[in-house]
Amino acid sequence: ASFIVVDDVRGAAFDRVTAPAFSGDGRTVAYGARRAGRWYRVVGEHATAVVDEIVSVFLNHNGTKIGCVVQKGRDQVVVTDRRGPAFRWIGGPQFAPDDRVVYLAERAGTKLVVAGDREIALGDWIVWGPTLSADGRSVSLGARIGQELWHKVVRLPGE
């Protein structure tokens, strides 16, 4: 059995759980969980069934919005109140102050920064560790481009 423990309180038992995500204010915890072959998005003590396998979950600053990355066949998709486009890989999803979801993704070998409905192509890079600026206007990330390591700051387009 797998479970999440927060402040010495053990949560419900599942067959498998994802890494927990905490809201920016630290008051809300969320995670993905599987029991008897079915996946659930768990926020606090409330579990909601999800059709696809959950890869990871994320919350906004005050825990009022939740999103998850799900695996659908060979592709991954961000799911919030709607489903985003399919990518081969998705990393570092987070809510911007304007509620857009910002994350890294890969499609056909090209890495991208995705901000809401906009995509910024980065190229054939290896990318990691996206950090959204406090105002949500840019994202910084680590990148390996060829043999060089870079710290990049990418300006995000407005919606």
Side-chain angles (χ1 to χ4, degrees):
S2 298
F3 49 88
I4 301 290
V5 177
V6 178
D7 290 332
D8 295 323
V9 177
R10 178 182 155 170
F14 293 93
D15 299 329
R16 178 177 165 201
V17 295
T18 66
F22 292 87
S23 59
D25 63 10
R27 295 179 183 195
T28 307
V29 63
Y31 56 95
R34 186 181 69 197
R35 180 184 295 135
R38 187 167 180 122
W39 281 92
Y40 298 89
R41 189 179 62 192
V42 182
V43 181
E45 296 178 9
H46 304 285
T48 304
V50 175
V51 174
D52 302 309
E53 176 182 350
I54 297 174
V55 176
S56 64
V57 297
F58 57 101
L59 293 161
N60 67 345
H61 179 74
N62 62 7
T64 58
K65 293 191 179 293
I66 182 171
C68 59
V69 176
V70 298
Q71 188 79 36
K72 178 77 172 173
R74 295 179 60 144
D75 292 325
Q76 294 184 348
V77 175
V78 167
V79 178
T80 55
D81 53 349
R82 63 184 183 95
R83 290 178 75 86
F87 295 97
R88 187 76 172 106
W89 167 81
I90 292 173
Q94 50 203 298
F95 285 101
D98 63 4
D99 289 334
R100 286 187 296 174
V101 178
V102 177
Y103 54 96
L104 302 174
E106 177 187 347
R107 180 186 294 126
T110 298
K111 300 304 185 307
L112 308 154
V113 171
V114 179
D117 293 330
R118 306 296 236 353
E119 298 177 5
I120 301 167
L122 301 175
D124 184 20
W125 301 0
I126 295 173
V127 293
W128 64 89
T131 302
L132 199 57
S133 64
D135 63 7
R137 294 184 180 171
S138 63
V139 63
S140 64
L141 56 110
R144 190 178 95 191
I145 306 168
Q147 296 300 311
E148 298 179 343
L149 296 178
W150 289 84
H151 180 91
K152 294 284 193 174
V153 177
V154 178
R155 184 104 173 120
L156 300 177
E159 279 286 280

